[in-house]
Amino acid sequence: AQTVTQSQPEMSVQEAETVTLSCTYDTSESDYYLFWYKQPPSRQMILVIRQEAYKQQNATENRFSVNFQKAAKSFSLKISDSQLGDAAMYFCAYRSQGGSEKLVFGKGTKLTVNP
Amino acid sequence: DAGVIQSPRHEVTEMGQEVTLRCKPISGHNSLFWYRQTMMRGLELLIYFNNNVPIDDSGMPEDRFSAKMPNASFSTLKIQPSEPRDSAVYFCASSPSLNRQFNQPQHFGDGTRLSIL
């Protein structure tokens, strides 16, 4: 079974600075998808960014980018120019390409943005 | 476009009572997922449906939990009888899994916070 590990329960960053959230996963599959979801205090689960394992190019979405290292099974999220609205829980998630459609989540990282 | 709609947003009930959580997926999405979020266990899948058929219910904790999807626009998660350890946030999500070759993200509802006293 696949597992996702987020080793940083909490992180903090100064407004306008850059922060990187770590995620590692364990799988024997070669094709899969990876996601970062954001959960603000309002409880919504918001998709931040996604990556296909077959793509070597790292995904980017405005201030959000990932560092995908397939051999190391690592999928970190970098937030540039941090804003107060980025404060939230961030969850890394894994999904098989050919098997179950379910998302396997990490335990999350709580990000605090200091003004 | 309307997102995934869950009701109720909050539910407080006494132990032993029946609880029914409801979900309306995004129109056109043919996969529907029920997740549970707790501090101890994080987010975990309970069950998911594809074209109204249950595909994976391995996460359903025990017989007290049941889920149905009578049509493409509605699903329920029922707990009977409820216990204090069922207290959690329950999320419904949907996705257009027309082809697993494509990366179709799941869209989440706002969740139901369930408290069993």
Side-chain angles (χ1 to χ4, degrees):
Chain A
Q2 294 83 21
T3 58
V4 177
T5 302
Q6 294 180 247
S7 59
Q8 307 152 317
E10 296 187 23
M11 292 282 285
S12 63
V13 63
Q14 291 295 127
E15 197 174 2
E17 298 294 309
T18 295
V19 64
T20 298
L21 308 184
S22 300
C23 173
T24 58
Y25 56 94
D26 187 27
T27 183
S28 59
E29 299 175 334
S30 58
D31 293 318
Y32 48 86
Y33 305 113
L34 297 165
F35 305 84
W36 279 97
Y37 278 88
K38 169 186 177 181
Q39 186 178 41
S42 64
R43 204 170 73 205
Q44 291 176 291
M45 291 289 289
I46 303 165
L47 177 67
V48 175
I49 198 165
R50 49 180 158 167
Q51 175 82 40
E52 292 83 357
Y54 64 85
K55 289 186 178 179
Q56 293 185 338
Q57 186 174 8
N58 289 323
T60 62
E61 287 287 343
N62 301 313
R63 297 182 296 107
F64 298 87
S65 61
V66 299
N67 184 3
F68 173 49
Q69 302 289 327
K70 191 173 183 179
K73 296 180 183 175
S74 171
F75 183 61
S76 61
L77 175 69
K78 186 171 82 171
I79 306 174
S80 303
D81 185 26
S82 297
Q83 300 176 359
L84 295 177
D86 295 334
M89 285 290 292
Y90 285 82
F91 293 94
C92 179
Y94 172 103
R95 201 196 89 194
S96 297
Q97 188 212 47
S100 173
E101 292 184 64
K102 74 177 183 182
L103 288 172
V104 178
F105 285 93
K107 290 292 179 67
T109 296
K110 182 179 180 181
L111 178 66
T112 300
V113 181
N114 301 309
Chain B
D1 289 340
V4 176
I5 299 172
Q6 290 187 248
S7 63
R9 184 159 173 80
H10 304 278
E11 174 86 10
V12 181
T13 192
E14 293 188 347
M15 183 176 66
Q17 297 297 306
E18 179 179 290
V19 173
T20 299
L21 310 182
R22 297 172 175 80
C23 176
K24 177 179 170 57
I26 293 173
S27 177
H29 285 193
N30 59 345
S31 285
L32 182 140
F33 307 80
W34 283 101
Y35 291 90
R36 180 172 65 177
Q37 184 178 32
T38 61
M39 287 294 292
M40 289 295 291
R41 300 174 66 90
L43 275 154
E44 47 185 358
L45 180 78
L46 299 176
I47 185 171
Y48 87 88
F49 297 83
N50 184 261
N51 292 325
N52 311 339
V53 176
I55 302 299
D56 182 354
D57 64 354
S58 59
M60 294 287 264
E62 49 198 271
D63 292 345
R64 296 185 298 105
F65 285 69
S66 63
K68 294 182 179 180
M69 192 165 185
N71 57 62
S73 58
F74 184 66
S75 177
T76 59
L77 178 66
K78 188 173 293 187
I79 308 173
Q80 168 62 21
S82 57
E83 297 182 2
R85 60 190 167 122
D86 302 330
S87 298
V89 178
Y90 290 81
F91 285 99
C92 178
S94 70
S95 73
S97 60
L98 296 175
N99 185 333
R100 287 180 182 169
Q101 295 293 323
F102 295 99
N103 185 3
Q104 306 287 0
Q106 293 177 19
H107 300 262
F108 284 75
D110 289 344
T112 295
R113 180 177 295 280
L114 177 63
S115 298
I116 309 297
L117 307 177

